[in-house]
Coordinates of all heavy atoms in Angstrom, one line a residue:
A254 N -19.1 24.1 -7.8 CA -17.9 23.2 -8.1 C -17.8 22.0 -7.2 O -17.5 20.9 -7.7 CB -16.6 24.1 -8.0
L255 N -18.1 22.2 -5.9 CA -18.0 21.1 -5.0 C -19.1 20.1 -5.2 O -19.0 18.9 -5.1 CB -18.1 21.6 -3.5 CG -16.8 22.3 -3.1 CD1 -17.0 23.1 -1.8 CD2 -15.6 21.4 -3.0
Y256 N -20.3 20.6 -5.6 CA -21.4 19.7 -6.0 C -21.0 18.8 -7.2 O -21.2 17.6 -7.2 CB -22.7 20.5 -6.3 CG -23.9 19.6 -6.6 CD1 -24.5 18.9 -5.6 CD2 -24.4 19.5 -7.9 CE1 -25.6 18.1 -5.8 CE2 -25.5 18.8 -8.2 CZ -26.1 18.0 -7.1 OH -27.2 17.3 -7.4
N257 N -20.4 19.5 -8.2 CA -19.9 18.7 -9.4 C -18.8 17.7 -9.1 O -18.8 16.6 -9.7 CB -19.5 19.7 -10.5 CG -20.6 20.4 -11.1 OD1 -21.7 19.9 -11.2 ND2 -20.4 21.7 -11.5
Y258 N -18.0 18.1 -8.1 CA -17.0 17.1 -7.6 C -17.7 15.9 -7.1 O -17.4 14.7 -7.4 CB -16.1 17.7 -6.5 CG -15.4 16.7 -5.6 CD1 -14.2 16.1 -6.0 CD2 -15.9 16.4 -4.4 CE1 -13.6 15.2 -5.2 CE2 -15.3 15.5 -3.5 CZ -14.1 14.9 -4.0 OH -13.5 14.0 -3.1
G259 N -18.7 16.1 -6.3 CA -19.5 15.0 -5.7 C -20.2 14.1 -6.8 O -20.2 12.9 -6.7
L260 N -20.8 14.8 -7.8 CA -21.4 14.1 -8.9 C -20.5 13.1 -9.6 O -20.8 12.0 -9.9 CB -22.1 15.0 -9.8 CG -23.3 15.8 -9.4 CD1 -23.9 16.6 -10.6 CD2 -24.4 14.9 -8.8
D261 N -19.3 13.7 -9.9 CA -18.3 12.9 -10.7 C -17.8 11.7 -9.9 O -17.8 10.6 -10.4 CB -17.2 13.8 -11.2 CG -17.5 14.6 -12.4 OD1 -18.5 14.3 -13.1 OD2 -16.8 15.6 -12.6
V262 N -17.4 12.0 -8.7 CA -16.8 10.9 -7.9 C -17.9 9.9 -7.5 O -17.7 8.7 -7.3 CB -16.0 11.4 -6.7 CG1 -14.9 12.3 -7.1 CG2 -16.9 12.0 -5.6
G263 N -19.1 10.4 -7.3 CA -20.2 9.5 -6.9 C -20.6 8.5 -8.1 O -20.9 7.4 -7.8
R264 N -20.6 9.0 -9.3 CA -20.8 8.1 -10.4 C -19.7 7.1 -10.5 O -19.9 5.9 -10.8 CB -20.9 8.9 -11.7 CG -22.3 9.6 -11.9 CD -22.4 10.3 -13.2 NE -21.6 11.4 -13.3 CZ -21.4 12.2 -14.4 NH1 -22.0 11.8 -15.5 NH2 -20.6 13.2 -14.4
A265 N -18.4 7.5 -10.3 CA -17.3 6.6 -10.3 C -17.4 5.6 -9.2 O -17.1 4.4 -9.4 CB -16.0 7.4 -10.2
F266 N -17.9 6.0 -8.1 CA -18.1 5.1 -6.9 C -19.1 4.0 -7.3 O -18.8 2.8 -7.0 CB -18.7 5.9 -5.7 CG -19.1 5.0 -4.6 CD1 -18.2 4.7 -3.6 CD2 -20.4 4.6 -4.5 CE1 -18.6 3.9 -2.5 CE2 -20.8 3.8 -3.4 CZ -19.9 3.5 -2.4
Q267 N -20.2 4.3 -8.0 CA -21.1 3.3 -8.4 C -20.6 2.3 -9.4 O -20.8 1.1 -9.4 CB -22.4 3.9 -8.9 CG -23.5 2.9 -9.2 CD -23.9 2.1 -8.0 OE1 -24.3 2.6 -7.0 NE2 -23.8 0.7 -8.1
I268 N -19.8 2.9 -10.4 CA -19.2 2.0 -11.4 C -18.2 1.0 -10.7 O -18.2 -0.2 -11.0 CB -18.5 2.9 -12.4 CG1 -19.5 3.7 -13.3 CG2 -17.6 2.0 -13.3 CD1 -18.8 4.7 -14.1
Q269 N -17.5 1.5 -9.7 CA -16.6 0.6 -9.0 C -17.4 -0.4 -8.2 O -17.0 -1.6 -8.2 CB -15.7 1.4 -8.1 CG -14.7 0.6 -7.3 CD -13.6 0.0 -8.2 OE1 -13.5 0.2 -9.4 NE2 -12.7 -0.8 -7.6
D270 N -18.5 -0.1 -7.6 CA -19.3 -1.0 -7.0 C -19.8 -2.1 -7.9 O -19.8 -3.3 -7.6 CB -20.6 -0.3 -6.4 CG -20.5 -0.1 -4.9 OD1 -19.4 -0.3 -4.3 OD2 -21.5 0.2 -4.3
D271 N -20.1 -1.7 -9.1 CA -20.6 -2.7 -10.1 C -19.4 -3.7 -10.5 O -19.6 -4.9 -10.6 CB -21.0 -2.0 -11.4 CG -22.3 -1.2 -11.2 OD1 -23.0 -1.4 -10.2 OD2 -22.6 -0.3 -12.0
L272 N -18.2 -3.1 -10.6 CA -17.0 -4.0 -10.8 C -16.7 -4.9 -9.7 O -16.4 -6.1 -9.9 CB -15.8 -3.1 -11.1 CG -15.9 -2.4 -12.5 CD1 -14.8 -1.3 -12.6 CD2 -15.7 -3.4 -13.6
L273 N -16.8 -4.4 -8.4 CA -16.6 -5.2 -7.3 C -17.5 -6.3 -7.1 O -17.1 -7.4 -6.7 CB -16.6 -4.3 -6.0 CG -15.5 -3.2 -5.9 CD1 -15.7 -2.5 -4.6 CD2 -14.1 -3.9 -5.9
D274 N -18.8 -6.2 -7.6 CA -19.7 -7.2 -7.5 C -19.3 -8.4 -8.4 O -19.6 -9.6 -8.1 CB -21.1 -6.8 -8.1 CG -22.2 -7.8 -8.0 OD1 -22.7 -8.1 -6.9 OD2 -22.4 -8.4 -9.1
L275 N -18.4 -8.2 -9.4 CA -17.9 -9.2 -10.2 C -16.6 -9.8 -9.8 O -16.3 -10.9 -10.1 CB -17.8 -8.7 -11.7 CG -19.1 -8.3 -12.4 CD1 -18.8 -7.6 -13.7 CD2 -20.0 -9.5 -12.6
T276 N -15.8 -9.0 -9.1 CA -14.4 -9.3 -8.9 C -14.0 -9.6 -7.5 O -12.9 -10.0 -7.2 CB -13.5 -8.2 -9.5 OG1 -13.8 -7.0 -8.8 CG2 -13.8 -8.0 -11.0
T277 N -14.8 -9.2 -6.5 CA -14.4 -9.3 -5.1 C -15.1 -10.5 -4.5 O -16.3 -10.8 -4.7 CB -14.8 -8.1 -4.3 OG1 -14.1 -6.9 -4.9 CG2 -14.4 -8.2 -2.8
P278 N -14.3 -11.3 -3.7 CA -14.9 -12.5 -3.0 C -16.1 -12.2 -2.2 O -16.2 -11.1 -1.6 CB -13.8 -13.1 -2.2 CG -12.5 -12.6 -2.8 CD -12.9 -11.2 -3.4
S279 N -17.1 -13.1 -2.1 CA -18.3 -12.9 -1.4 C -18.2 -12.5 0.0 O -18.8 -11.6 0.5 CB -19.2 -14.2 -1.5 OG -19.5 -14.5 -2.9
E280 N -17.2 -13.2 0.7 CA -17.0 -12.9 2.1 C -16.5 -11.5 2.4 O -16.8 -10.9 3.4 CB -16.1 -13.9 2.7 CG -14.7 -14.0 2.1 CD -14.6 -15.0 1.0 OE1 -15.7 -15.4 0.4 OE2 -13.5 -15.4 0.6
K281 N -15.8 -10.9 1.4 CA -15.3 -9.6 1.5 C -16.4 -8.6 1.2 O -16.5 -7.5 1.7 CB -14.1 -9.4 0.7 CG -13.3 -8.2 1.0 CD -11.9 -8.2 0.3 CE -11.0 -7.2 0.9 NZ -9.6 -7.2 0.3
L282 N -17.3 -8.9 0.2 CA -18.4 -8.1 -0.2 C -19.5 -8.0 0.8 O -20.1 -7.0 0.9 CB -19.0 -8.6 -1.5 CG -18.4 -8.2 -2.9 CD1 -19.2 -8.9 -4.0 CD2 -18.4 -6.7 -3.1
G283 N -19.7 -9.0 1.5 CA -20.8 -9.1 2.5 C -22.1 -9.6 1.8 O -23.1 -9.5 2.4
K284 N -21.9 -10.0 0.5 CA -23.1 -10.6 -0.2 C -22.5 -11.5 -1.3 O -21.3 -11.5 -1.5 CB -23.9 -9.5 -0.9 CG -23.2 -8.7 -1.9 CD -24.1 -7.7 -2.6 CE -23.4 -6.9 -3.7 NZ -24.4 -6.1 -4.5
Q285 N -23.4 -12.2 -2.0 CA -22.9 -13.2 -3.0 C -22.3 -12.4 -4.2 O -22.9 -11.5 -4.8 CB -24.1 -14.0 -3.5 CG -23.7 -14.9 -4.7 CD -22.6 -15.9 -4.4 OE1 -22.7 -16.6 -3.4 NE2 -21.6 -16.0 -5.3
R286 N -21.0 -12.8 -4.5 CA -20.4 -12.2 -5.7 C -21.2 -12.6 -7.0 O -21.7 -13.7 -7.1 CB -18.9 -12.8 -5.8 CG -18.2 -12.2 -7.1 CD -16.7 -12.6 -7.0 NE -16.5 -14.0 -7.4 CZ -16.0 -14.4 -8.6 NH1 -15.7 -13.5 -9.5 NH2 -15.8 -15.7 -8.8
G287 N -21.3 -11.6 -7.9 CA -22.0 -11.9 -9.1 C -23.5 -11.8 -9.0 O -24.2 -12.1 -10.0
S288 N -24.0 -11.3 -7.9 CA -25.5 -11.2 -7.7 C -26.1 -10.3 -8.7 O -27.2 -10.6 -9.2 CB -25.8 -10.8 -6.3 OG -25.3 -9.5 -6.0
D289 N -25.4 -9.2 -9.1 CA -26.0 -8.3 -10.1 C -26.2 -9.0 -11.4 O -27.1 -8.8 -12.2 CB -25.1 -7.1 -10.3 CG -25.2 -6.1 -9.1 OD1 -26.0 -6.3 -8.2 OD2 -24.3 -5.2 -9.1
L290 N -25.2 -9.9 -11.8 CA -25.2 -10.6 -13.0 C -26.4 -11.6 -13.0 O -27.1 -11.7 -14.0 CB -23.9 -11.3 -13.2 CG -23.5 -11.7 -14.7 CD1 -23.5 -10.5 -15.6 CD2 -22.1 -12.4 -14.7
V291 N -26.5 -12.3 -11.9 CA -27.6 -13.4 -11.8 C -28.9 -12.7 -11.9 O -29.8 -13.2 -12.6 CB -27.4 -14.1 -10.5 CG1 -28.6 -15.1 -10.3 CG2 -26.1 -14.9 -10.4
E292 N -29.1 -11.5 -11.3 CA -30.4 -10.8 -11.3 C -30.6 -10.0 -12.5 O -31.6 -9.3 -12.7 CB -30.5 -10.0 -10.0 CG -30.5 -10.8 -8.7 CD -30.2 -9.9 -7.5 OE1 -30.0 -8.7 -7.6 OE2 -30.2 -10.5 -6.4
E293 N -29.6 -10.1 -13.4 CA -29.6 -9.3 -14.7 C -29.8 -7.8 -14.6 O -30.6 -7.2 -15.3 CB -30.7 -9.9 -15.6 CG -30.4 -11.4 -16.0 CD -31.4 -11.9 -17.0 OE1 -31.8 -11.2 -18.0 OE2 -31.8 -13.1 -17.0
K294 N -29.2 -7.3 -13.6 CA -29.2 -5.8 -13.4 C -28.4 -5.1 -14.4 O -27.4 -5.6 -14.9 CB -28.7 -5.5 -12.0 CG -29.6 -5.9 -10.8 CD -29.1 -5.4 -9.5 CE -30.1 -5.7 -8.4 NZ -29.7 -5.2 -7.1
Q295 N -28.9 -4.0 -14.8 CA -28.2 -3.2 -15.8 C -27.0 -2.5 -15.2 O -27.2 -1.7 -14.2 CB -29.1 -2.2 -16.5 CG -30.4 -2.8 -17.0 CD -30.2 -3.4 -18.4 OE1 -29.1 -3.6 -18.8 NE2 -31.3 -3.5 -19.1
T296 N -25.8 -2.7 -15.7 CA -24.6 -2.0 -15.2 C -23.8 -1.6 -16.4 O -24.1 -2.0 -17.6 CB -23.7 -2.9 -14.3 OG1 -23.1 -3.9 -15.2 CG2 -24.5 -3.6 -13.2
L297 N -22.9 -0.7 -16.2 CA -22.1 -0.2 -17.3 C -21.3 -1.4 -18.0 O -21.1 -1.4 -19.2 CB -21.1 0.9 -16.8 CG -20.5 1.8 -17.9 CD1 -21.6 2.6 -18.6 CD2 -19.5 2.7 -17.3
V298 N -20.9 -2.3 -17.2 CA -20.2 -3.5 -17.7 C -21.1 -4.3 -18.7 O -20.8 -4.6 -19.8 CB -19.7 -4.4 -16.6 CG1 -19.1 -5.7 -17.2 CG2 -18.7 -3.7 -15.7
T299 N -22.3 -4.6 -18.2 CA -23.2 -5.5 -19.0 C -23.8 -4.7 -20.2 O -24.0 -5.3 -21.3 CB -24.4 -6.0 -18.2 OG1 -25.1 -5.0 -17.6 CG2 -23.8 -6.9 -17.1
L300 N -24.0 -3.4 -20.1 CA -24.5 -2.6 -21.2 C -23.4 -2.6 -22.3 O -23.8 -2.7 -23.5 CB -24.8 -1.2 -20.8 CG -26.0 -1.1 -19.8 CD1 -26.2 0.3 -19.3 CD2 -27.3 -1.6 -20.5
H301 N -22.2 -2.4 -21.9 CA -21.1 -2.4 -22.9 C -21.0 -3.8 -23.6 O -20.8 -3.9 -24.8 CB -19.8 -2.0 -22.3 CG -18.6 -2.0 -23.2 ND1 -17.8 -3.1 -23.5 CD2 -18.1 -1.0 -24.0 CE1 -16.9 -2.8 -24.3 NE2 -17.0 -1.5 -24.7
A302 N -21.1 -4.8 -22.8 CA -21.0 -6.2 -23.3 C -22.1 -6.5 -24.3 O -21.8 -7.1 -25.4 CB -21.0 -7.2 -22.2
R303 N -23.3 -6.0 -24.1 CA -24.4 -6.2 -25.0 C -24.1 -5.5 -26.4 O -24.4 -6.0 -27.4 CB -25.7 -5.7 -24.5 CG -26.3 -6.6 -23.4 CD -27.7 -6.2 -23.0 NE -28.3 -7.1 -22.1 CZ -28.3 -6.9 -20.8 NH1 -27.8 -5.8 -20.3 NH2 -28.9 -7.8 -20.0
Q304 N -23.4 -4.3 -26.3 CA -23.1 -3.6 -27.5 C -22.0 -4.3 -28.3 O -21.9 -4.1 -29.5 CB -22.6 -2.2 -27.1 CG -23.7 -1.2 -26.6 CD -23.2 0.2 -26.4 OE1 -22.0 0.4 -26.0 NE2 -24.0 1.2 -26.5
Q305 N -21.3 -5.2 -27.6 CA -20.3 -6.0 -28.3 C -20.8 -7.4 -28.7 O -20.1 -8.2 -29.2 CB -19.1 -6.3 -27.3 CG -18.5 -5.1 -26.6 CD -18.3 -3.9 -27.5 OE1 -17.7 -4.0 -28.5 NE2 -18.9 -2.8 -27.1
G306 N -22.1 -7.5 -28.6 CA -22.8 -8.8 -29.1 C -22.9 -9.9 -28.1 O -23.3 -11.0 -28.5
V307 N -22.6 -9.6 -26.8 CA -22.6 -10.7 -25.8 C -24.1 -10.9 -25.3 O -24.7 -9.9 -25.0 CB -21.7 -10.4 -24.6 CG1 -21.8 -11.4 -23.5 CG2 -20.3 -10.2 -25.1
D308 N -24.5 -12.1 -25.2 CA -25.8 -12.4 -24.6 C -25.6 -12.5 -23.1 O -25.3 -13.6 -22.6 CB -26.4 -13.7 -25.2 CG -27.8 -14.0 -24.8 OD1 -28.2 -13.4 -23.8 OD2 -28.5 -14.9 -25.4
V309 N -25.8 -11.4 -22.5 CA -25.5 -11.3 -21.0 C -26.4 -12.3 -20.2 O -25.9 -12.9 -19.2 CB -25.7 -9.9 -20.5 CG1 -25.5 -9.8 -19.0 CG2 -24.7 -8.9 -21.2
G310 N -27.6 -12.5 -20.7 CA -28.5 -13.4 -19.9 C -28.0 -14.8 -19.9 O -28.5 -15.6 -19.0
D311 N -27.2 -15.2 -20.8 CA -26.7 -16.6 -20.9 C -25.3 -16.7 -20.2 O -24.8 -17.9 -20.2 CB -26.6 -17.0 -22.3 CG -27.9 -17.4 -22.9 OD1 -28.9 -17.5 -22.1 OD2 -28.0 -17.5 -24.2
L312 N -24.8 -15.7 -19.7 CA -23.4 -15.8 -19.0 C -23.5 -16.6 -17.8 O -22.5 -17.4 -17.5 CB -22.9 -14.4 -18.7 CG -22.4 -13.5 -19.9 CD1 -22.0 -12.2 -19.4 CD2 -21.2 -14.2 -20.6
V313 N -24.6 -16.6 -17.1 CA -24.7 -17.4 -15.8 C -26.0 -18.1 -16.0 O -27.1 -17.5 -16.1 CB -24.8 -16.5 -14.6 CG1 -25.0 -17.3 -13.3 CG2 -23.5 -15.6 -14.5
D314 N -25.9 -19.4 -15.9 CA -27.1 -20.3 -16.2 C -27.8 -20.7 -14.8 O -27.8 -21.8 -14.4 CB -26.7 -21.6 -16.9 CG -27.8 -22.4 -17.3 OD1 -28.9 -21.9 -17.4 OD2 -27.7 -23.6 -17.5

Side-chain angles (χ1 to χ4, degrees):
L255 290 167
Y256 185 70
N257 289 329
Y258 161 81
L260 290 186
D261 282 340
V262 302
R264 284 185 290 173
F266 172 88
Q267 184 59 57
I268 291 169
Q269 182 68 4
D270 257 13
D271 295 341
L272 288 167
L273 294 179
D274 182 78
L275 296 170
T276 59
T277 299
S279 301
E280 58 272 17
K281 198 167 190 178
L282 273 179
K284 64 175 185 175
Q285 174 60 50
R286 180 172 77 105
S288 60
D289 288 352
L290 201 57
V291 177
E292 295 166 0
E293 297 188 37
K294 291 186 177 180
Q295 306 279 17
T296 70
L297 200 60
V298 176
T299 59
L300 293 175
H301 180 271
R303 286 191 176 96
Q304 290 183 332
Q305 312 315 305
V307 175
D308 187 343
V309 175
D311 284 348
L312 286 175
V313 179
D314 186 24

